[in-house]
Amino acid sequence: MKSCILAILGLAQLLGAPALSQAQQSCAPPRSTVIQTDTVIRLRFANGRRLTLTDVPAGEDQTDYRYQGYLPAIGYHLIELVVWGGPTSWDELYNACTGAQLVVDGPPIISPDSTRFVTLGYGAPRTPLVRRVQVWSRQPDGDFASEWDFEPAVWAEDHGPLDWGPANARWLSVSAIQFDRVNRDGRVLGTAQATLEAGHWHFSAFP
């Protein structure tokens, strides 16, 4: 098996984002490293903590870990986890400084000022089986925590049948997110928007 140290991801949407604190910058590669073979990912975080993620071979619980890169705007390593019994997938974020883990429905889509990110659960294989929009915000210690958890199924209780899941999120500003409402066949039924006003997120759907 051939080992390789994986490169840092440069995401276009992160250009112009404010710099991390000096402490957070000091945790970026090479202080925090990732080495991957065919079936194993080994992470070493800036505080010395180590973590090994090993694929589960073929079978009912077959699981693959896929390193997606280091996200410099938020200071986390991104790993996709695929469970083939479903099949379904989700993502895991690891703080490069501490190794603290976040389990999220999909890849983080980072706000223009890097203080928040949004993740989407579409609700159909091979994505997380929950339909959800989550907004995560940076805490004083540099970690991120869930700030808003919106499940369309709850919205549908008062607004009709749920025939869509969220997809293709984009930040319109630091306080507004737009995404598509997509059915299981991939057809866009309309759009929706989440807006932060007076410290609270509000949801609106459009044709």
Side-chain angles (χ1 to χ4, degrees):
M1 290 182 288
K2 182 179 179 179
S3 297
C4 62
I5 299 181
L6 299 171
I8 299 173
L9 281 185
L11 303 181
Q13 74 180 74
L14 303 182
L15 295 178
L20 298 178
S21 69
Q22 185 175 356
Q24 291 167 323
Q25 289 176 351
S26 69
C27 297
R31 288 290 306 279
S32 173
T33 61
V34 180
I35 299 176
Q36 180 171 315
T37 65
D38 291 343
T39 60
V40 177
I41 298 173
R42 293 184 174 88
L43 299 100
R44 181 180 61 80
F45 306 104
N47 65 357
R49 179 188 170 195
R50 297 174 184 267
L51 176 68
T52 299
L53 302 172
T54 305
D55 292 350
V56 178
E60 186 174 325
D61 298 323
Q62 180 180 352
T63 302
D64 292 342
Y65 292 96
R66 301 172 178 177
Y67 183 69
Q68 302 298 314
Y70 173 71
L71 307 179
I74 59 174
Y76 278 75
H77 295 281
L78 173 63
I79 293 176
E80 180 186 22
L81 189 152
V82 180
V83 180
W84 291 101
T88 188
S89 70
W90 58 88
D91 290 289
E92 296 179 348
L93 289 166
Y94 290 91
N95 187 309
C97 293
T98 65
Q101 179 199 50
L102 295 176
V103 178
V104 296
D105 294 329
I109 300 156
I110 302 167
S111 65
D113 63 358
S114 300
T115 61
R116 292 181 172 86
F117 63 81
V118 60
T119 58
L120 302 180
Y122 174 57
R126 63 172 255 286
T127 59
L129 298 182
V130 62
R131 303 184 194 191
R132 178 163 58 187
V133 179
Q134 274 188 297
V135 176
W136 302 76
S137 62
R138 189 189 299 276
Q139 305 301 297
D141 62 2
D143 281 335
F144 281 78
S146 179
E147 181 178 73
W148 186 58
D149 190 327
F150 173 78
E151 294 191 28
V154 177
W155 172 85
E157 292 175 0
D158 296 322
H159 298 84
L162 179 60
D163 57 355
W164 59 272
N168 308 318
R170 52 268 184 194
W171 287 86
L172 303 179
S173 69
V174 295
S175 58
I177 308 163
Q178 186 180 72
F179 54 89
D180 295 332
R181 296 186 295 112
V182 179
N183 68 11
R184 287 181 175 268
D185 296 325
R187 183 168 62 91
V188 176
L189 304 177
T191 60
Q193 186 166 316
T195 305
L196 180 63
E197 298 177 357
H200 300 280
W201 287 92
H202 304 274
F203 172 80
S204 302
F206 309 99

